[in-house]
Amino acid sequence: MQVVPSVCTFCGVGCGLGLRVEGGRAIGVEPQAGHPVSQGQLCAKGWASGFVVDPGDRLRKPLIKAHGRFREASWDEALTLVAGEMRAALEAAGPAAVGVISCAHATNEDNYAAQKFARAVLGTANIDHCARICHSPSVAGLSRTLGSGAMTNSIADIDEAELILVIGADVTENHAMIGARMLRAQARGARLVVVDPRRTRLARLADQHIQLRVGSNIALLNGLLHIIFANGWEDREFLAYRCENEQALREQVRELTPALTSRLTGVPVLALIELARAYSQARRAFIAYGMGITQFQSGTGNVIAVANLALACGQLGRPGTGVNPLRGQNNVQGACDMGCLPDVYPGYQKVSDAAVRARFARAWGVAQPAAAGLTSLGMSEAALRGEFRALMVLGEELVVTDPDQHKLARALQALDFLVAVELTLSETARYADVVLPAAAFAEKDGTFSNCERRVQRVRKAVEPPGEARADWQILAALAERMGYSGMGWVDAAAVFAEMAALTPCFSAMSHARLERPGGLQWPCDAAHPEGSPILHMQSFPRGRAQLLPVSQVEPDECPDAEYPFCFTTHRLHFHYGGGAMTRKSPLLERETPAGLLFIHPQDAAQLGLHEAQGVRVRSRRGVLETRAHLTDDVPPGTVGMPYHFREAPCNRLTNSAQDPISHMPELKACAVALEPLPADQAPRIELERPPEDCHAGP
C-alpha cells in the first residue's frame, strides 16, 4: 500500500490527508501528521474522502443526448459537437449569449483554465461559480472596506485569541476542525460568543449565545457600535491612523440605543452591553462568520457591518484578531482567486481597469471584454428572456443548490445548448446536451486554496476511470477545436506557472515551491517570499480602511397570514453541499435520514405535528414533503432545512431576491406554510428532472 499526500476535498478548512492506494485504487485515507491546519486529525467527512473517487457510478466516456436519452460517444465526436454549438451560439447572438460556470471543488488550475476559456476563447466575461451563492458578499464587502476580500488571519490565530466571536456560522457542523480548535481555545480560557438565530451545538457550548431575529444582523452590529462609541470603548489610535470616514459611521449609529436595538433584534439589552464590552476590551478578538451573514439581500451590508465593528475596535492586523469568512467548498477561495467571477481576473484584478485588460490581452493574444459579465443567476435570467443561448457547467449542482429550483429548471430548458463536465450524472447534468467525464481530485495534479488563503498541492494518486480527463485538459482540447492555441499546457504545473506570472499575489509560488508541507499563503511575492499568514499588519491595500455606514434591511419576504413561518437553511455534520460526495459514503448516509424539517416543539404542538411525521412545506415558489424533527435548535416561528437532499430540495422553496451589490440570492430567509401529512402517509419524493424532449438533440 502507498500513501499519497493530498488535501481534503469537502469544506474550506483544507485539512491534510494521505490517500491510501492499493492495486490502483484509493481504498481509504489517513490524517496527515503535523499538518498546520488539521494537526493530524480529520472530521467524519474527511475520513469518508475515499468514497468520493470510488469508480462505482463514475462517468467513463462522453455522453451525447439524442431524442431525450444519453448515448456514449468518443471524445472526438463530443468535442466537435460542443465546439460547433458554441460557435453557432456566438455567431447567432454574440459573446453576451454564452458563458461558463466553474467549480469550487475543482483545482486552481482547472478554474484558471475555465475563466481563460470564457474570456480568451468565447470572448465573454460571463464566468461565475458557486461563490455567488455563498461568499460573494465577502469579496464585495471586505474589498470595499479593507481593500481585500479574503480571510485576514490564519486558522492558527484562534489559538492566540482572547475572545472568539462567531457570527452566522455553524462551525462544529460545517468546518469541524475549526470548531474543535475554537473549543480547545475556550478550554484554555478564551471567551467564546456565538451570534445565531439557531441554538447550534457551538452556541450551546459557548460562554454567550446571542440569539437574534433572522435577518437582523446589521441592526445588531450597528447597535454594538453605538454602545462602544457611547462608552468610549473604541480604539481611538487605530481609528485616527488607519481608518477614514469615522464621523459618518458615528452619525449612522447615534440613535441606535440599546433599547431600540433590543426591539429590532430580540436580544436583551444586558446581553448587548456585555458583548460590546467584551469584544471592544479584549486584547485580541477573532471574528469568524459564515453564510448566516452573507446569504441575504443585505449580504454585502452585513459583511461591511462586521468590518466596521472590527475596525472601530482595532481588532485587525495582529495575531489572534481579524475578520475571517469561513469559506464553504474546499476550493471556493481558489476559484475566486483564479478570477472565476464576472468582474475580476485572477488575483482580483479588475475587469474595469483598462491596464489590467491590456496585460491579459497581451498575454493571451486576444482582445478582452471591456465590461463585467453576467453572474450565474444573471445567466439563468437571461436564458428565460431568450437572450442567452449556450452554457458550460463544470461540476456545479445548480439544480440542487441554486434558489427557486423550478425557475432554474425552466432556465436550463430554455438554453439552446448545455454542456456539463461531471464525475457522475448529476441532477444538473441530466439537462445537458453533452456530458463530459471529469477526473476527481485524487486522479490529477494541482492545487487547492483553503479559506485562510493557503495554497496546497494535491497529487495524482490513481488513474481516472475510463476516458475521464482533468477539467483543464478538456478545456484545452475544446479551445484547440475552436481555433485557439493558447491553452496547450503540458501539465498542471504549466497552468499554475502561467497564472502566477500574471497574478502579483501569487508571483513567488510554483508547484515546486508548494511541495513543502502545508503550502504557502498569499500574498506570496517578492516582498513576502514565504507567504502572508496575517494581512493588513501595517496598512490596507486601499491605504486607509473605509468605515462605511450601512442600514438595516429586512428580508425580502417576511411571515404573514398565508405563510406564517420564517424558513431558513443550514447544513448537517455528516453531509456537505448538495450531498453529491457525502451521500456516496454509506457511513455518512446512515447517520441522517433523507430530508428533515427542524421545527420548535411549541409550533409542532400547535400544528398537531409529531416527531418524524410527514409534513408538506409550501412557499410562493414551490412545495415539497419531508419529515419533521422537533427541536429547540430553532426558535418558535422559525423552521429550518438542510439542503443536502435532492429528495427534499429546500431550494425549491427559497427566494431569488438578490443583494444589489454582490447579486447574492436570499437563501437564508423566506416565508412558508406547513401542513401535517396523515400519520401513516410517507412524504412524496418528486425529483426535478428534465422532460424527455429537453435538449433532445437531432
Side-chain angles (χ1 to χ4, degrees):
M1 185 180 68
Q2 180 186 10
V3 179
V4 180
S6 194
V7 181
C8 182
T9 189
F10 284 105
C11 75
V13 178
C15 295
L17 56 78
L19 286 163
R20 294 173 175 172
V21 178
E22 188 174 64
R25 290 188 62 181
I27 62 169
V29 299
E30 62 183 45
Q32 200 176 102
H35 191 272
V37 174
S38 48
Q39 300 177 309
Q41 302 173 76
L42 290 173
C43 75
K45 292 185 285 288
W47 278 109
S49 297
F51 292 101
V52 176
V53 295
D54 186 85
D57 63 345
R58 293 281 300 281
L59 297 173
R60 289 167 163 76
K61 291 182 65 107
L63 301 177
I64 292 176
K65 185 177 287 181
H67 307 293
R69 297 185 180 278
F70 287 111
R71 63 171 176 84
E72 289 188 347
S74 68
W75 273 102
D76 183 68
E77 181 186 9
L79 291 174
T80 299
L81 176 59
V82 173
E85 292 292 338
M86 286 291 184
R87 275 195 296 264
L90 287 167
E91 291 167 3
V98 298
V100 177
I101 296 176
S102 74
C103 181
H105 279 306
T107 63
N108 287 322
E109 293 74 10
D110 292 333
N111 280 286
Y112 176 80
Q115 61 84 36
K116 182 176 181 180
F117 179 81
R119 292 178 165 121
V121 181
L122 300 180
T124 184
N126 296 336
I127 171 71
D128 207 1
H129 72 291
C130 72
R132 185 62 48 204
I133 60 170
C134 64
H135 273 282
S136 55
S138 293
V139 175
L142 296 182
S143 295
R144 283 165 169 76
T145 54
L146 310 180
S148 171
M151 192 167 167
T152 64
N153 287 58
S154 298
I155 294 169
D157 279 72
I158 293 168
D159 302 343
E160 306 293 324
E162 187 177 276
L163 181 141
I164 300 165
L165 176 57
V166 179
I167 310 178
D170 195 353
V171 188
T172 52
E173 308 303 291
N174 302 340
H175 303 84
M177 304 317 299
I178 292 180
R181 200 158 193 156
M182 289 177 173
L183 291 172
R184 290 197 297 271
Q186 182 192 31
R188 290 194 298 268
R191 181 175 179 81
L192 177 62
V193 182
V194 173
V195 176
D196 203 300
R198 298 189 303 123
R199 291 187 67 196
T200 63
R201 178 163 52 164
L202 194 66
R204 294 176 188 275
L205 296 171
D207 298 291
Q208 185 182 16
H209 175 206
I210 302 293
Q211 192 169 23
L212 77 170
R213 179 177 58 83
V214 173
S216 62
N217 300 292
I218 293 176
L220 173 76
L221 294 160
N222 281 349
L224 294 176
L225 279 173
H226 171 95
I227 296 168
I228 290 165
F229 286 141
N231 288 279
W233 293 339
E234 71 274 21
D235 188 328
R236 294 176 183 173
E237 183 178 358
F238 191 91
L239 286 168
Y241 288 101
R242 299 200 59 185
C243 303
E244 58 188 19
N245 211 32
E246 176 188 346
Q247 195 56 41
L249 182 61
R250 286 180 178 271
E251 290 296 325
Q252 178 74 13
V253 304
R254 189 180 301 281
E255 305 301 322
L256 293 174
T257 63
L260 175 57
T261 302
S262 181
R263 289 199 299 274
L264 293 172
T265 63
V267 179
V269 168
L270 291 179
L272 294 169
I273 295 171
E274 180 185 355
L275 175 54
R277 179 189 291 113
Y279 180 79
S280 61
Q281 296 184 10
R283 289 175 298 171
R284 297 178 301 278
F286 181 101
I287 292 179
Y289 71 84
M291 292 187 293
I293 283 285
T294 60
Q295 286 183 329
F296 287 94
Q297 65 170 353
S298 58
T300 301
N302 291 341
V303 172
I304 289 170
V306 172
N308 286 341
L309 177 65
L311 290 166
C313 299
Q315 300 285 8
L316 279 160
R318 296 180 287 115
T321 67
V323 176
N324 301 290
L326 302 180
R327 295 303 196 108
Q329 309 282 24
N330 66 298
N331 201 39
V332 69
Q333 180 68 58
C336 291
D337 296 346
M338 294 301 105
C340 291
L341 297 167
D343 59 339
V344 293
Y345 288 97
Y348 306 96
Q349 301 173 80
K350 294 186 179 300
V351 167
S352 58
D353 188 327
V356 168
R357 294 198 307 274
R359 180 162 64 253
F360 280 90
R362 285 194 301 272
W364 293 345
V366 181
Q368 290 298 290
L374 296 171
T375 65
S376 56
L377 273 69
M379 295 182 219
S380 299
E381 290 161 357
L384 288 170
R385 296 192 301 268
E387 300 169 0
F388 195 81
R389 303 295 185 87
L391 177 65
M392 172 177 274
V393 180
L394 298 100
E396 291 293 313
E397 183 63 295
L398 307 177
V399 173
V400 179
T401 58
D402 275 21
D404 197 345
Q405 186 186 64
H406 292 319
K407 181 180 177 182
L408 186 277
R410 292 195 304 272
L412 295 180
Q413 292 170 43
L415 293 167
D416 291 344
F417 186 73
L418 174 64
V419 55
V421 179
E422 261 294 358
L423 302 182
T424 63
L425 193 62
S426 67
E427 296 302 307
T428 303
R430 294 177 189 276
Y431 286 83
D433 299 283
V434 176
V435 184
L436 303 176
F441 80 105
E443 299 158 357
K444 58 188 175 183
D445 290 307
T447 55
F448 289 151
S449 301
N450 76 345
C451 63
E452 59 174 357
R453 300 168 283 105
R454 184 182 300 274
V455 184
Q456 303 180 82
R457 286 275 284 113
V458 291
R459 299 164 180 85
K460 185 175 181 179
V462 294
E463 291 296 324
E467 299 176 13
R469 302 178 182 179
D471 295 16
W472 68 263
Q473 293 174 315
I474 295 170
L475 292 161
L478 187 56
E480 187 175 2
R481 293 290 176 115
M482 297 186 70
Y484 181 74
S485 59
M487 294 175 64
W489 304 292
V490 295
D491 54 23
V495 183
F496 192 94
E498 179 180 311
M499 178 279 300
L502 290 166
T503 311
C505 63
F506 288 91
S507 59
M509 287 190 192
S510 65
H511 272 210
R513 289 208 69 206
L514 291 170
E515 288 295 334
R516 60 193 289 171
L520 292 162
Q521 291 169 268
W522 65 260
C524 182
D525 51 24
H528 312 88
E530 299 304 312
S532 306
I534 300 175
L535 300 182
H536 319 315
M537 296 185 73
Q538 304 299 327
S539 62
F540 296 97
R542 63 180 318 280
R544 288 184 165 210
Q546 180 84 351
L547 296 163
L548 297 175
V550 287
S551 301
Q552 171 65 22
V553 177
E554 290 300 305
D556 177 70
E557 193 175 272
C558 296
D560 55 22
E562 185 178 2
Y563 298 94
F565 289 93
C566 176
F567 178 88
T568 191
T569 59
H570 57 93
R571 291 171 175 158
L572 300 176
H573 181 71
F574 291 103
H575 284 294
Y576 211 82
M581 298 189 300
T582 51
R583 298 194 68 190
K584 294 178 72 173
S585 164
L587 304 177
L588 300 178
E589 180 72 350
R590 73 184 182 188
E591 296 290 342
T592 307
L596 292 170
L597 179 79
F598 286 61
I599 181 170
H600 194 278
Q602 175 182 311
D603 292 329
Q606 291 175 354
L607 291 167
L609 191 61
H610 304 288
E611 177 69 26
Q613 184 177 347
V615 58
R616 183 174 293 116
V617 190
R618 178 170 52 88
S619 79
R620 289 178 172 85
R621 289 151 297 280
V623 62
L624 58 80
E625 293 180 2
T626 185
R627 295 191 181 276
H629 174 53
L630 279 56
T631 174
D632 65 354
D633 284 2
V634 291
T638 296
V639 295
M641 277 188 71
Y643 54 81
H644 314 300
F645 306 104
R646 65 182 183 277
E647 303 92 336
C650 58
N651 70 322
R652 189 173 294 174
L653 309 172
T654 48
N655 194 353
S656 57
Q658 294 179 27
D659 175 8
I661 298 173
S662 66
H663 302 288
M664 160 67 75
E666 191 156 67
L667 293 168
K668 276 290 181 282
C670 70
V672 299
L674 307 180
E675 177 188 345
L677 300 178
D680 59 348
Q681 181 177 325
R684 185 174 67 252
I685 296 173
E686 292 183 2
L687 297 179
E688 182 69 59
R689 292 281 171 83
E692 285 200 3
D693 61 347
C694 177
H695 302 271

